[in-house]
Amino acid sequence: MTIHTKPEPEKPAFAVTTGPLAGSRKVHDSGRRFPDLRVPGRAIEVEGEPVVRVYDPSGPYTDATATIDISAGLPRHRGPWVRARGDVEEVDATVIPPLGQGGAVPPFPIKHRPLRGKPGRTPTQLAYARAGIITPEMEYVAIRENLGRTEAAKARDGEDFGAAIPDLVTPEFVRDEVARGRAIIPANINHAELEPAIIGRNFLTKINANIGNSAVLSSVADEVDKLVWAIRWGADTVMDLSTGRDIHNIREWIVRNSPVPIGTVPLYQALEKVGGVAEDLTWEIYRDTLIEQCEQGVDYFTVHAGVRLAYIPLTANRVTGIVSRGGSIMAKWCLAHHTESFLYTRFRDICEILAAYDVAFSLGDGLRPGSIADANDRAQFAELETLGELTKIAWEHGVQVMIEGPGHVPMHKIKVNVEKQLQLCGEAPFYTLGPLVTDIAPGYDHITSAIGAAMIGWFGTAMLCYVTPKEHLGLPDRNDVKTGVITYKIAAHAADLAKGHPGAQAQDDAISRARFEFRWHDQFNLALDTDTARSFHDETLPKEAHKTAHFCSMCGPKFCSMKISQEIRASAAAQPSDAVAAGMAEMSEKFKALGSQVYVEIDEVAAAGKRP
Amino acid sequence: MTIHTKPEPEKPAFAVTTGPLAGSRKVHDSGRRFPDLRVPGRAIEVEGEPVVRVYDPSGPYTDATATIDISAGLPRHRGPWVRARGDVEEVDATVIPPLGQGGAVPPFPIKHRPLRGKPGRTPTQLAYARAGIITPEMEYVAIRENLGRTEAAKARDGEDFGAAIPDLVTPEFVRDEVARGRAIIPANINHAELEPAIIGRNFLTKINANIGNSAVLSSVADEVDKLVWAIRWGADTVMDLSTGRDIHNIREWIVRNSPVPIGTVPLYQALEKVGGVAEDLTWEIYRDTLIEQCEQGVDYFTVHAGVRLAYIPLTANRVTGIVSRGGSIMAKWCLAHHTESFLYTRFRDICEILAAYDVAFSLGDGLRPGSIADANDRAQFAELETLGELTKIAWEHGVQVMIEGPGHVPMHKIKVNVEKQLQLCGEAPFYTLGPLVTDIAPGYDHITSAIGAAMIGWFGTAMLCYVTPKEHLGLPDRNDVKTGVITYKIAAHAADLAKGHPGAQAQDDAISRARFEFRWHDQFNLALDTDTARSFHDETLPKEAHKTAHFCSMCGPKFCSMKISQEIRASAAAQPSDAVAAGMAEMSEKFKALGSQVYVEIDEVAAAGKRP
C-alpha cells in the first residue's frame, strides 16, 4: 500500500509519520567525485535571510515529493555502489530456525538475496580507506557534514580538547579518519537503503535512539513508525533492542525502511533461541545469529566481549552490580561455565564474520557503572582496557569499531572517561549512554543524563545514546522517544558549539536574530521542536496577529526587554543629530579606540566616557 | 479560614497544597546555643535502612501536624530573635499611593507594624557576623546544612575548584563566611515567618523559582499556591516578579505565607507607578518603593545598578541587545536623560535603606547575554566589574550582597564567568540564570539551561535561578513551575555531588541500593519527584504485587540485568563450596593482593586470575 505524504482522513493500517517539518524542506547536494550522489539536508526558510541548513537524518519520510510504502521498503540506492566494487557476491540466506520466530509478525514481503564479501576480500570502509580508496559513502558523509557549506569556515570559537575538526570536511579527510580508526561509517553491504553517516570525534556529534519491544507487538507498523518518529526528530542511528520471539521479522521490516544505520545486540536474539537460559548459550548459536543479522543488513553490533571472567568478582562490592543486560548475561554464562566467554575467546572468528559484511563493532561496556557509587571503579576500567585490546584485533581484520561507555558518572569523573578511552582504544569513536550525573531523579533521567551527555560530547564522545524519561521505570512510548531525541539533540548540539564545530552556531544565531526581531514563525521553525515551541506560545497568544507582536505573554508588552532594546536602537537610528544617538556613536568610537578589548578596564571606560 | 493538611472533598476557596510528600515526614532539630530553634528537615523512610535526611525548604505546608490558614499567614517565630537584639524599632508603615494598587486583590487581613533599625544601628547578619556575634539565624542554617549529621563527614570525593566546604557546618563557620561576604542569609527583619537559609559557595547549592503574574490575577490563593507549590518541590527562594497594579497586596500575601526568602525587582513596581514610562522614573519614586518593600519583609532586591551609561553602546552590535527587563528599562532611562542611572549615582543611599532592614542586594546583570553570540562580551564583563565595585560599597554599609549572572553561554565559556565573578566581586555569592548552552530549543529551555546550571554550580555558583519549559514563549503554569524546580534540583544536586559536598551522595546511594534490591516504593520515595516516578512505573505495571517484582517493564523479567546480578551473588553466597563462589572469593582476594588499585593492569589480572 502507498502512504501519501499528506495525512489522509482515514489513516491506513500501515501508516507512518510523513511530510516535512513546519517551515522546512528537503534539499539534496550532489557529489563531485560521484555526481549521482543525492546527499540530503534540511533547509529552514527564514524571513529576509538565507535558508539555514541543518543535518537531516530523517530520510525520505520528510521529503514532500517522496512516496512511502513500508511494504516495499525504501529505495535501495546504495546497492550499485556496493556491487560496483566487485568484491561481494550473492549468497543464499541462512535458514532461520523456527525457534527464532513467534508468528505474530508477518515476514517482509520482498526477499533480497544477501551479499557477502568474496573469499579473501574485505568489503569494509576501513579496508578501502587504508587502501587509499575514497568510496561514495565517504564523499556522501563529507558533503553531509558540511551542512551546505562549500567554503571553509572563517571564525572558529571553541575548546576541542585536542580534536582535529577541519574547517571544511573533504572526502580525503573522511578517508584519513576512517583509515586511522578515529571514525566509522556503519554501512552493512546488505543495507542498501542506507543514507550513510559518519561517527567520530572530528565530526558532528551524533545521537542514537533505542526502540524495540519487550513482549508482544501491537503491530509492525507501530515499530516502523517508532523508527520513523525517532529519525524525524533527529536520531542519527537507531538500535533495535527487541527481545520477543518475532525479532527476525520485525528487524527485517525496520532495516528495509531505515535510512539510518541500525544497531542490535545479537546476544538478545541468541538468548531467545535458548529459551532465555543464559548458561545454554553456545558459540554456534551466537555465530549463526550474527550471520543471520549480517545478512539482513544490520550496521553495527553491540558485543560484550570485554566481560572477562576475572573482572566479574570486581563487581561483587558494587552498589548496583552489573547493569548491562548483555553484560549480566555473559557474566552469568562465564560463572556457570567458569571460563572466559565465547565472545572473548572467539573474538577473531567474530571479526571475520563482521568483516565479510562491513558490520561495525560497538564494543559493549558490560561492566559500566549503574550508580554514582560505582562510577570509574576497577571493574569499569579493567573492561575498558580489554576493549582497547580487542579494538586492535578488530582493526587487524579490517572491521570498524566504536566503544561503548557509561552510564552513571558524577560530573567530576566524566572527563577522565574520555581521556582513558581515547588512550586505551587508539582514539576509536566513543559512544556513551548519558552519563547520568545523579541517581535521584527517576522520571527525569533524560535530563540527568543530558547534563552528562553534553559534557562528555564536548570532551570528545562521538555518539550519545539517548535516555528517555521512562529510564529505570518502564518502556518509552512515542512521546518519550521524542522527548529523548530532542533532549539528546540539545546535548549533541551544545557539545558541537563548545567544540567550536564550524557552522554549528549558524542555527543559534538565526533563531536569536528572529527572537530579537519578533519573527515568531522563524523562531518556531528554527527550533529543534517546532511544534512544541509553537504550541507553548499559542497557549496564551493564539492569534495570527500575535505572530508578529513585539512581545510575548512571558513579560507582556510593557516589560519586554527586547522591545525596549529595539526602541533604543530605533531611536538612535532615527535621530542622528540627537544627543542620544551621538552619544552612542561617540561611545562606540571611544570603545573601539580602547582597542576593542574583550575585557575593558573600568578606569579606561570612565576616562573615555562621560562621568556621572 | 483553615485548610486542613488532608485534602477536603470540597476544596476551600483559599486552598493551597498541603501534606507531606509520599514516604516522607517533617523532622525538626533543636539548637545548642539556641535550644528553642526548630530547624526543619525531611526524613524519607527506607525499608530496612536508616532514614535519609534531605534539605527541606517547603515550610509548614508539608508538616502533617500543621494547620495552614493563608489568611493568618505562617507563624512569626522569628520575631523574638529580631527584637531580642535591641537594635530595631517599630515605625508607621509607609502610605501606599493609590497608583500602586489596582483593587482586584484584597489587602492581607492582618497588619503588622514594620520594624526598622534604630538610628545608627545596622541590624544585618553581615554586621553581626563582623562583630563576632552568632545569631539564631546562623545556628539555624548551620544545623540545616548538615542534613541531620552531627559528626564530620568521613570519605570525601569531588573537585571543588578551590571552595572551602567543611566536613561539618558549625555556627562559627557560618559566621565567618557571612563576615567575609562569601555567604548571605537573606533575612529581612520584617520577615518573621522566615525559615532562614544560607547562600554561598561553601554550602549546598540553592535554587530560586520565579513566580508572579504579568496581568490580572485569577485569585490571590492561586499566587500563594504557586509559592507553596514551588517550595514543595524544592525551591530555596522565590522571586515575586509580578508586574500588575496589585503587586503591593499580592506581595503581602506572599511574604506573610512564605517560609523561604522572597526576592523582588523593585524597579518593576516603580515603573507601574509612572504608568510604564521608563523616562519618567525618578529616584524619589524608586526610593519610596524600596522602603515600601523593605517594610513588607522582602528579603532581597535585584538592583540593576551596574548598567552604566558608558556600557550601553557596547550592546549596539549584539545579536539580542539587552535582554534583562530591568537592564533595558534603566538603559532607556540613561539614554533619555543622558546621564548615569540613579541606581548607580544613589547607590550609597540605597545601601543605607537596605541596611536598616537587612535586605540583601542581588546585584542585577542588566547586560547579561541573551544569545550564544553575545556570551562573555565586553558589555557583560564591563558591568561585572562595576558590580564588583558596588559590592565593596555595599559591604561598607553592612549590606549583604550576591551577584547575578548569565544567561546564554556555550559550555566552553561558562567557567571563566565564575572565575571572573569570584575575583572581581570578592567571592560574593554568584546567582545565575541557567546559563542556557544553546539557543535552538525553545520549549526545552529548562534542559538547555540545566546543563549550564549544573556546570556553573559545580564551578562555584551559590544559587541557580530556574528556567521553565515556557522560557521565551509564555508564562509558566503550575506544571511548568514544578518541571523547572525539579530540573534545577537535579542541576544543584549534581553540582553538590561533583563538588564533593559531604552527605550529598547519601540519597543517591540509598536510591541505588533500593533499585538493585527491587524495593520499588523506596525508589519512588527517594526520587526527587516521587509522584512522577510512581506514575511512570505504574503505567505498565500498576499492581501492588509489581512493587516487589524483580524487574520492570523496561526490560522484562528475562533481561533484567539487576535480577541476573542478584542471582550471580545469591548463587555465590548459597554454595560456598561451589567452584563459582570459591572462584569469586579467590579472585577478590587476588585483586586485593594487587593493591586494590583503581586501575588494574590487564597483565596483572591475567597473571592473578585463571586464564581462559
Side-chain angles (χ1 to χ4, degrees), chain A residues 12-77:
Chain A
F14 272 33
V16 295
T17 309
T18 58
L21 296 176
S24 288
R25 61 188 162 81
K26 179 82 71 181
V27 291
H28 292 94
D29 297 310
S30 53
R32 288 190 187 181
R33 288 168 178 270
F34 301 97
D36 291 344
L37 297 184
R38 293 186 75 239
V39 182
R42 177 156 70 94
I44 306 173
E45 305 288 346
V46 183
E47 185 189 328
E49 293 192 5
V51 298
V52 171
R53 282 285 296 270
V54 298
Y55 196 93
D56 181 11
S58 62
Y61 302 99
T62 52
D63 188 341
T65 67
T67 301
I68 300 297
D69 176 359
I70 67 167
S71 297
L74 293 177
R76 291 171 61 83
H77 68 108

Side-chain angles (χ1 to χ4, degrees), chain B residues 482-496:
Chain B
K482 178 176 173 183
T483 300
V485 169
I486 297 286
T487 302
Y488 270 68
K489 284 299 287 181
I490 290 169
H493 183 75
D496 289 338

Side-chain angles (χ1 to χ4, degrees), chain A residues 117-340:
Chain A
K118 288 178 180 168
R121 305 294 294 270
T122 305
T124 71
Q125 297 293 321
L126 176 54
Y128 303 138
R130 284 179 181 160
I133 298 167
I134 291 176
T135 61
E137 289 87 347
M138 294 176 197
E139 185 176 32
Y140 193 101
V141 300
I143 295 167
R144 205 169 188 188
E145 290 284 320
N146 289 324
L147 307 178
R149 286 181 301 119
T150 52
E151 290 185 5
K154 293 189 183 71
R156 293 278 293 272
D157 175 19
E159 164 58 59
D160 65 8
F161 300 104
I165 302 166
D167 288 337
L168 192 73
V169 179
T170 61
E172 290 76 14
F173 180 77
V174 169
R175 189 205 57 73
D176 190 56
E177 289 287 294
V178 173
R180 294 173 67 156
R182 291 209 299 205
I184 66 172
I185 303 174
N188 186 320
I189 56 173
N190 288 306
H191 192 183
E193 301 83 357
L194 181 72
E195 296 178 353
I198 191 160
I199 299 167
R201 180 185 178 205
N202 295 319
F203 301 92
L204 291 164
T205 306
K206 303 300 186 295
I207 67 168
N208 172 71
N210 294 331
I211 62 171
N213 64 315
S214 281
V216 176
L217 288 172
S218 51
S219 90
V220 69
D222 286 350
E223 282 303 296
V224 176
D225 189 52
K226 266 194 214 162
L227 158 77
V228 172
W229 186 243
I231 62 178
R232 179 178 184 83
W233 298 110
D236 295 293
T237 79
V238 167
M239 290 195 78
D240 173 20
L241 302 185
S242 294
T243 53
R245 293 191 60 198
D246 286 303
I247 42 184
H248 179 91
N249 282 354
I250 188 68
R251 190 168 50 236
E252 186 77 22
W253 281 91
I254 287 173
V255 174
R256 297 285 77 79
N257 285 286
S258 176
V260 303
I262 296 295
T264 64
V265 187
L267 191 64
Y268 296 174
Q269 188 181 9
L271 190 67
E272 293 289 345
K273 291 179 180 176
V274 294
V277 181
E279 300 88 318
D280 291 351
L281 283 166
T282 64
W283 159 243
E284 290 72 21
I285 288 169
Y286 185 77
R287 178 198 60 200
D288 292 348
T289 307
L290 289 183
I291 294 170
E292 171 188 340
Q293 298 197 14
C294 285
E295 289 176 354
Q296 283 188 297
V298 173
D299 301 287
Y300 64 90
F301 290 153
T302 293
V303 179
H304 297 93
V307 180
R308 296 195 58 185
L309 179 64
Y311 303 155
I312 300 169
L314 296 176
T315 67
N317 293 320
R318 277 182 160 185
V319 169
T320 44
I322 299 174
V323 297
S324 149
R325 291 195 223 173
S328 62
I329 293 164
M330 289 320 298
K332 197 170 182 187
W333 190 94
C334 288
L335 290 179
H337 297 272
H338 209 67
T339 183
E340 293 286 2

Side-chain angles (χ1 to χ4, degrees), chain A residues 157 311 322-323 332 340 378 385 413 438-440 444 508 512 528-529 561 565 567 597 599 602, chain B residues 157 311 322-323 332 378 385 413 438-440 444 471 508 512 528-529 561 565 567 597 599 602 612:
Chain A
D157 175 19
Y311 303 155
I322 299 174
V323 297
K332 197 170 182 187
E340 293 286 2
R378 291 190 294 160
E385 176 153 325
K413 293 185 175 175
T438 170
D439 305 337
I440 66 171
Y444 298 81
D508 295 79
S512 291
L528 277 182
D529 178 359
S561 61
S565 268
E567 286 170 2
Q597 296 152 275
Y599 189 73
I602 186 74
Chain B
D157 175 19
Y311 303 154
I322 299 173
V323 298
K332 197 170 181 186
R378 292 189 294 158
E385 176 151 325
K413 293 186 175 176
T438 170
D439 305 336
I440 66 169
Y444 298 79
E471 184 75 12
D508 296 78
S512 291
L528 277 183
D529 179 359
S561 61
S565 269
E567 287 169 4
Q597 295 153 271
Y599 189 74
I602 187 72

Side-chain angles (χ1 to χ4, degrees), chain A residues 321-548:
Chain A
I322 299 174
V323 297
S324 149
R325 291 195 223 173
S328 62
I329 293 164
M330 289 320 298
K332 197 170 182 187
W333 190 94
C334 288
L335 290 179
H337 297 272
H338 209 67
T339 183
E340 293 286 2
S341 87
F342 52 80
L343 300 180
Y344 183 77
T345 58
R346 294 287 194 162
F347 192 72
R348 287 182 184 272
D349 298 310
I350 298 173
C351 290
E352 284 174 17
I353 296 169
L354 270 58
Y357 304 88
D358 201 6
V359 174
F361 274 114
S362 182
L363 291 177
D365 55 337
L367 303 182
R368 67 171 175 270
S371 55
I372 293 297
D374 296 343
N376 293 16
D377 72 355
R378 291 190 294 160
Q380 181 192 337
F381 287 141
E383 181 186 33
L384 184 61
E385 176 153 325
T386 298
L387 298 186
E389 175 196 322
L390 298 174
T391 297
K392 287 159 192 70
I393 294 172
W395 284 348
E396 283 174 27
H397 289 80
V399 180
Q400 305 187 92
V401 182
M402 59 182 170
I403 308 291
E404 296 186 7
H408 290 237
V409 185
M411 283 191 286
H412 65 294
K413 293 185 175 175
I414 291 176
K415 194 157 185 283
V416 73
N417 274 277
V418 181
E419 291 164 350
K420 277 188 188 288
Q421 187 274 335
L422 289 173
Q423 181 232 317
L424 292 171
C425 302
E427 299 190 87
F430 204 21
Y431 167 31
T432 62
L433 178 68
L436 287 70
V437 296
T438 170
D439 305 337
I440 66 171
Y444 298 81
D445 280 331
H446 58 309
I447 299 176
T448 64
S449 67
I451 294 168
M455 291 174 70
I456 210 165
W458 176 26
F459 299 147
T461 294
M463 185 156 78
L464 308 169
C465 182
Y466 87 170
V467 172
T468 79
K470 290 280 168 60
E471 184 75 13
H472 298 118
L473 297 169
L475 262 187
D477 61 19
R478 188 176 154 95
N479 284 337
D480 298 319
V481 167
K482 179 176 172 182
T483 300
V485 169
I486 297 285
T487 302
Y488 270 68
K489 283 297 287 181
I490 290 169
H493 183 75
D496 288 337
L497 280 178
K499 288 164 83 174
H501 207 101
Q505 202 180 310
Q507 191 176 356
D508 295 79
D509 292 350
I511 200 171
S512 291
R513 284 191 298 268
R515 186 168 281 155
F516 190 66
E517 293 168 11
F518 299 100
R519 287 182 273 114
W520 288 98
H521 284 301
D522 287 342
Q523 276 190 74
F524 305 148
N525 293 343
L526 287 159
L528 277 182
D529 178 359
T530 173
D531 298 346
T532 296
R534 186 184 311 268
S535 74
F536 279 7
H537 176 270
D538 288 1
E539 274 179 28
T540 43
L541 295 171
K543 293 179 188 167
E544 183 55 32
H546 293 140
K547 299 298 189 300
T548 51

Side-chain angles (χ1 to χ4, degrees), chain B residues 183-455:
Chain B
I184 66 172
I185 304 174
N188 186 321
I189 56 174
N190 288 307
H191 192 183
E193 302 83 357
L194 181 73
E195 297 178 351
I198 192 161
I199 299 166
R201 180 186 178 204
N202 294 320
F203 301 92
L204 292 164
T205 306
K206 303 301 186 296
I207 66 168
N208 171 71
N210 295 330
I211 62 170
N213 64 315
S214 282
V216 177
L217 287 171
S218 51
S219 89
V220 69
D222 286 350
E223 282 304 297
V224 176
D225 189 51
K226 265 193 215 164
L227 158 79
V228 172
W229 187 241
I231 64 178
R232 179 178 185 82
W233 299 111
D236 295 291
T237 80
V238 167
M239 291 194 78
D240 173 19
L241 301 185
S242 295
T243 53
R245 292 192 62 197
D246 288 301
I247 43 184
H248 178 90
N249 282 354
I250 189 67
R251 189 168 50 237
E252 186 77 22
W253 280 91
I254 287 173
V255 175
R256 297 286 76 80
N257 285 288
S258 176
V260 302
I262 296 294
T264 63
V265 186
L267 191 64
Y268 296 174
Q269 189 182 9
L271 190 67
E272 293 288 346
K273 292 179 180 177
V274 294
V277 182
E279 300 87 317
D280 291 353
L281 284 166
T282 64
W283 158 243
E284 290 72 21
I285 288 169
Y286 185 78
R287 178 199 60 202
D288 292 348
T289 306
L290 288 182
I291 294 170
E292 171 188 340
Q293 298 197 14
C294 284
E295 289 177 354
Q296 283 188 297
V298 173
D299 301 287
Y300 64 89
F301 291 153
T302 293
V303 179
H304 297 92
V307 180
R308 296 195 59 185
L309 180 64
Y311 303 154
I312 301 169
L314 296 176
T315 67
N317 293 320
R318 278 182 159 184
V319 169
T320 45
I322 299 173
V323 298
S324 149
R325 291 195 224 173
S328 62
I329 293 165
M330 289 319 298
K332 197 170 181 186
W333 190 94
C334 288
L335 290 179
H337 295 273
H338 209 68
T339 183
E340 293 287 3
S341 88
F342 52 82
L343 300 179
Y344 184 79
T345 59
R346 295 287 195 163
F347 191 73
R348 287 181 183 273
D349 298 311
I350 298 173
C351 289
E352 284 176 16
I353 295 168
L354 271 58
Y357 304 88
D358 200 8
V359 175
F361 274 113
S362 182
L363 291 177
D365 55 337
L367 304 182
R368 69 171 171 270
S371 54
I372 293 297
D374 296 343
N376 293 17
D377 72 353
R378 292 189 294 158
Q380 182 193 336
F381 286 141
E383 181 186 34
L384 184 61
E385 176 151 325
T386 297
L387 298 185
E389 176 195 322
L390 298 173
T391 297
K392 287 159 191 73
I393 295 171
W395 284 348
E396 283 175 29
H397 289 81
V399 180
Q400 304 186 94
V401 182
M402 60 182 168
I403 308 292
E404 296 186 8
H408 290 238
V409 185
M411 284 191 284
H412 65 294
K413 293 186 175 176
I414 291 176
K415 193 155 185 282
V416 72
N417 274 277
V418 180
E419 291 164 349
K420 276 186 188 290
Q421 188 273 337
L422 289 172
Q423 180 231 319
L424 292 171
C425 302
E427 299 190 86
F430 203 21
Y431 167 31
T432 61
L433 178 69
L436 287 70
V437 296
T438 170
D439 305 336
I440 66 169
Y444 298 79
D445 279 331
H446 58 309
I447 299 175
T448 63
S449 67
I451 294 168
M455 292 175 69

